[in-house]
Amino acid sequence: MAEFDTIAKRLIQTHPTDFARFALQRDDIQRVEVLDTEQPTIRHTDSLLRIQVGGQKVLLLHEFQTTDDPAMPRRMASYIGRCIEQYGLPVYAHVFYLRPHAGRRDPGYYRQEHLDYPVAIRYKVIRLSELGGQAVLDGGLVGLLPFTPLMQPPAGQAEAAWLEQCVVRVAALPLAPPDRADCLAELATLSGLAYNPQTITALLAKEQLMDIIRESSFAQYLTASAREEALKQGIEQGIEQGIEQGIRESIQEVLALRFQPEAVRGLADRLGAIDDGLRLKQLHRAAIQVPSLQAFSNLLDDE
């Protein structure tokens, strides 16, 4: 889902050190550099960081998943191999599963079982629903806060109460208003992976945060994306309708050549009511073969 990928990539590019500390569970992270994942050799990787940890330069690879992918071990082996080829550094790779039930069958490794040519490439699987969210909420890693509703609430706390706690905490962050608005919008969007949309909307309305979120750059991006998608669908629909109209006209031309043009024009409205492209193609073939105009009219009556 594009919006979730967009959120994850933006957060990790904006707060790369937060993600490095979270993934490695270490604080001695230095010289964090976000690398370009659009290079041909490593394209399609969600995030790649070059960091220094424990005095050693390494690559930190993050992949975000909302659903299961049986090919994930092979994909990760490919990503890791390309990173090693490109940079010649150790690769610490992680797959983050965002939905509550995703990633349970990911083994965390790619293995080639061959007596003489064994291959094993390992990566870490991180399922957010299995992590305690309170520690992250209290830990001060701003880049991870939008993900906290997807994590486990404290023992005995209802999910709705946990979501509200996460929202209130983010709303109180000492950030510039645009950054806080973006963080809230991202949290609200990611929460949709685990919570009912009505629950999220009601909570945001209760906390009087809807107007703030609407003004966020991320919400505006989603609106622009929706407009772009609607335009794309409109163009595709227009093309399809144009093709269908062309078939209708071709049917009438064939019938006019074979039978009486005046009588053929009387079928225009009936043909115009057919918006099934496959059916129009069948009628076009029939127009070439039917023995009479009445026979073709009978086919239209079968609609």
Side-chain angles (χ1 to χ4, degrees), residues 265-285:
R265 280 195 286 272
L267 301 177
D269 290 342
R270 296 169 68 186
L271 285 170
I274 301 173
D275 57 5
D276 184 336
L278 178 59
R279 178 59 178 154
L280 286 170
K281 290 179 181 179
Q282 293 172 343
L283 288 171
H284 184 263
R285 288 193 293 269

Side-chain angles (χ1 to χ4, degrees), residues 22-81:
F22 177 72
L24 301 181
Q25 293 295 294
R26 297 179 63 158
D27 293 326
D28 58 337
I29 309 294
Q30 298 177 321
R31 300 180 183 178
V32 179
E33 179 185 358
V34 179
L35 299 178
D36 181 11
T37 57
E38 291 304 314
Q39 300 178 51
T41 52
I42 55 174
R43 186 173 296 161
H44 305 312
T45 303
D46 282 341
S47 170
L48 187 63
L49 307 177
R50 180 161 49 201
I51 67 172
Q52 184 170 304
V53 56
Q56 182 185 23
K57 285 185 178 180
V58 303
L59 298 178
L60 195 57
L61 189 156
H62 293 86
E63 191 69 16
F64 297 91
Q65 283 287 120
T66 56
T67 58
D68 291 307
D69 181 358
M72 182 55 69
R74 190 167 67 249
R75 284 173 53 193
M76 291 302 291
S78 174
Y79 297 156
I80 293 168

Side-chain angles (χ1 to χ4, degrees), residues 183-249:
C183 199
L184 279 168
E186 290 156 351
L187 181 148
T189 304
L190 288 170
S191 296
L193 290 167
Y195 292 85
N196 187 296
Q198 287 76 22
T199 300
I200 301 169
T201 302
L203 174 57
L204 295 175
K206 171 187 172 183
E207 299 295 335
Q208 299 181 334
L209 298 172
M210 292 299 293
D211 289 340
I212 295 175
I213 290 176
R214 289 192 189 99
E215 295 302 317
S216 71
S217 61
F218 181 71
Q220 292 172 11
Y221 160 79
L222 288 181
T223 302
S225 297
R227 287 198 300 266
E228 182 179 343
E229 182 63 23
L231 177 61
K232 178 182 176 183
Q233 291 179 357
I235 292 172
E236 291 175 349
Q237 184 179 4
I239 292 173
E240 183 177 352
Q241 291 174 349
I243 292 173
E244 292 173 356
Q245 181 58 27
I247 297 175
R248 293 188 192 97
E249 292 174 356

Side-chain angles (χ1 to χ4, degrees), residues 162-196:
W162 169 241
L163 175 61
E164 183 172 6
Q165 183 180 345
C166 296
V167 168
V168 170
R169 181 69 63 88
V170 169
L173 286 174
L175 299 174
D179 295 333
R180 185 166 56 249
D182 282 344
C183 199
L184 279 168
E186 290 156 351
L187 181 148
T189 304
L190 288 170
S191 296
L193 290 167
Y195 292 85
N196 187 296

